[in-house]
Amino acid sequence: YLHQYFDRDVLGGKGRKKLAGILELPLSVNHKDFVKAITALPETDTPAMFNLPQNIDRSQQRSVAKSVLSQLVLVSRPNLEDEQFDKTRWTKDLSPFLQLWKRLNQGSDLVKLSPDQVPSPGEQDPPLLAFLLLERQVAIKLLQQVHADLSKISKVIRGTLLLTTDVKENATALLKHEVPSSWCRKWEGPAAPIHWLRSLVSKTLALGGWVERCQAGTLLSSPADLSELFNPSVFLNALRQESARRLNLPINSLEFISHWGPSSGLSKAKCPVTIEGLTIEGALFDGHKLVECSRDSPSNSPISICSVAWVPAGQGASKDNQLETPVYYNSLREQQVTSIRIPCPGSPALWKLKSVALILKNQ
């Protein structure tokens, strides 16, 4: 914004640019001239005045709706800090969590696996396989911890187990529609317990497929959804290590490149991976370049597959007219995974003002 406002072509001279595209600054030093110019401004600010996308109202409405829902949850939370065990209340309010957990684990034996049945990464394993084995191992441990905690709550409700401090803390958190802190310390997922539990099970199950494809050598030959991972940024770092090994180059001599299409477009890369499931906010993508949103455009739109890879520095395509776009884990934009370049018409700085971003998973 400072580059736009304190621009020589805006502040003076012939053929001056209008400030924010609508306001032509007076050349005089007369206070009345500036008041007159300000008075002539429209009552309603248009998105274009601040270089925002035309559909920014939709994003604002979504943000306000999430804020209202959060406030409603806070208002509805009871004060349970000093409350003693109430079997009726626990049965009524905690049964949905217990029943959901039972349904989520139907047909799966993950909660029954012993440590010996969960493969651990070995010293000779390549970086990608080592990462996936460790990711799955940690996920299964967390899943089994959650299963044990919920089982204890169920036993307390049935009267077959005495109430302990840990059980009370976990149950109190769930009664307040919060994720227990002992779980969050292991993985900071969605804020709502129902979504947290669903996500934990779905990711852990998906990791089994990732490990199988990696061991079979087919992981990089098919599109991958990075939102299935607990730590997608660590996966990309493991991909960097794997590429450095295959190229026999120092890891810090590689650069991250992207191609909007199948991985065949990165023929020189040793370990290209194709990412699917991405969505874009702040703009649209026509398969070749960024496109302005219209007022009726959704705030979050699907985008075509993107292939990424680590290659020796200097071998990537030209970075001119490309926007370095942040990739966030979800639409809250709290956790950045990486950045991917997207071709754009005009100055990338103007597109940056529109807060264009890629999202791995809607939330």
Side-chain angles (χ1 to χ4, degrees):
Y1 285 113
L2 292 178
H3 284 295
Q4 288 190 49
Y5 296 162
F6 295 96
D7 186 333
R8 185 173 300 175
D9 293 335
V10 172
L11 297 176
K14 294 184 178 180
R16 294 181 303 141
K17 294 193 299 185
K18 292 184 177 181
L19 182 63
I22 62 170
L23 177 61
E24 185 172 331
L25 292 180
L27 289 174
S28 71
V29 293
N30 192 326
H31 178 264
K32 291 183 179 180
D33 293 338
F34 283 88
V35 171
K36 182 179 179 181
I38 294 173
T39 305
L41 289 173
E43 291 293 330
T44 304
D45 296 335
T46 63
M49 289 180 62
F50 303 98
N51 287 103
L52 295 172
Q54 291 296 320
N55 65 343
I56 191 64
D57 288 343
R58 289 176 177 262
S59 298
Q60 182 188 25
Q61 291 168 7
R62 185 182 63 185
S63 177
V64 170
K66 287 182 177 179
S67 177
V68 171
L69 288 174
S70 298
Q71 294 298 321
L72 290 174
V73 170
L74 288 174
V75 170
S76 64
R77 285 176 181 171
N79 184 8
L80 302 170
E81 298 302 327
D82 300 322
E83 184 174 308
Q84 299 301 315
F85 170 65
D86 184 339
K87 181 177 179 179
T88 303
R89 186 189 189 98
W90 279 40
T91 302
K92 176 178 177 294
D93 293 348
L94 296 180
S95 290
F97 298 108
L98 301 175
Q99 293 170 2
L100 171 66
W101 185 251
K102 183 177 180 180
R103 290 198 303 271
L104 291 175
N105 286 281
Q106 282 181 346
S108 170
D109 59 353
L110 292 177
V111 297
K112 301 176 183 178
L113 293 178
S114 65
D116 295 338
Q117 294 176 299
V118 183
S120 302
E123 294 183 0
Q124 303 301 319
D125 287 334
L128 280 178
L129 179 58
F131 161 75
L132 291 173
L133 288 174
L134 182 60
E135 180 98 332
R136 182 170 182 264
Q137 184 183 54
V138 172
I140 290 176
K141 285 183 179 179
L142 177 57
L143 187 106
Q144 292 179 343
Q145 176 189 334
V146 172
H147 181 73
D149 290 342
L150 292 177
S151 296
K152 290 178 182 178
I153 292 175
S154 178
K155 290 178 181 178
V156 168
I157 292 175
R158 297 198 309 268
T160 59
L161 184 71
L162 293 176
L163 179 63
T164 63
T165 302
D166 292 341
V167 173
K168 183 180 179 182
E169 288 179 355
N170 292 332
T172 299
L174 293 174
L175 287 169
K176 295 164 66 175
H177 296 281
E178 297 176 350
V179 179
S181 59
S182 60
W183 302 355
C184 283
R185 284 195 294 269
K186 303 292 181 63
W187 175 54
E188 190 176 352
I194 292 290
H195 300 314
W196 195 95
L197 293 172
R198 290 183 184 275
S199 187
L200 171 63
V201 175
S202 64
K203 288 177 184 291
T204 306
L205 291 173
L207 276 169
W210 281 71
V211 171
E212 290 178 1
R213 293 196 300 274
C214 190
Q215 292 174 330
T218 60
L219 178 65
L220 303 179
S221 61
S222 58
D225 184 353
L226 296 187
S227 69
E228 294 178 344
L229 301 174
F230 290 90
N231 299 285
S233 58
V234 182
F235 168 79
L236 294 177
N237 189 51
L239 183 70
R240 185 183 189 183
Q241 296 176 18
E242 184 103 6
S243 301
R245 281 193 183 186
R246 296 191 187 185
L247 292 167
N248 196 26
L249 290 172
I251 192 171
N252 59 0
S253 68
L254 304 182
E255 67 173 332
F256 193 62
I257 63 170
S258 59
H259 167 73
W260 290 94
S263 58
S264 57
L266 298 175
S267 56
K268 296 182 180 180
K270 291 291 185 180
C271 304
V273 59
T274 302
I275 303 173
E276 66 177 358
L278 292 173
T279 58
I280 188 171
E281 292 182 348
L284 300 175
F285 185 66
D286 64 2
H288 303 284
K289 64 182 184 306
L290 292 175
V291 179
E292 291 269 6
C293 292
S294 67
R295 289 185 61 86
D296 297 329
S297 300
S299 59
N300 196 297
S301 305
I303 197 170
S304 58
I305 58 173
C306 175
S307 298
V308 298
W310 291 94
V311 299
Q315 290 191 8
S318 171
K319 299 178 182 179
D320 295 338
N321 295 323
Q322 293 200 357
L323 176 66
E324 187 169 344
T325 311
V327 181
Y328 294 99
Y329 186 75
N330 56 42
S331 57
L332 298 177
R333 301 196 182 194
E334 296 175 343
Q335 178 185 353
Q336 183 173 345
V337 177
T338 186
S339 295
I340 294 178
R341 294 187 177 275
I342 306 180
C344 62
S347 170
L350 295 178
W351 289 97
K352 185 174 291 187
L353 290 175
K354 299 180 185 297
S355 297
V356 179
L358 297 173
I359 310 297
L360 286 186
K361 185 178 181 64
N362 287 329
Q363 181 170 316

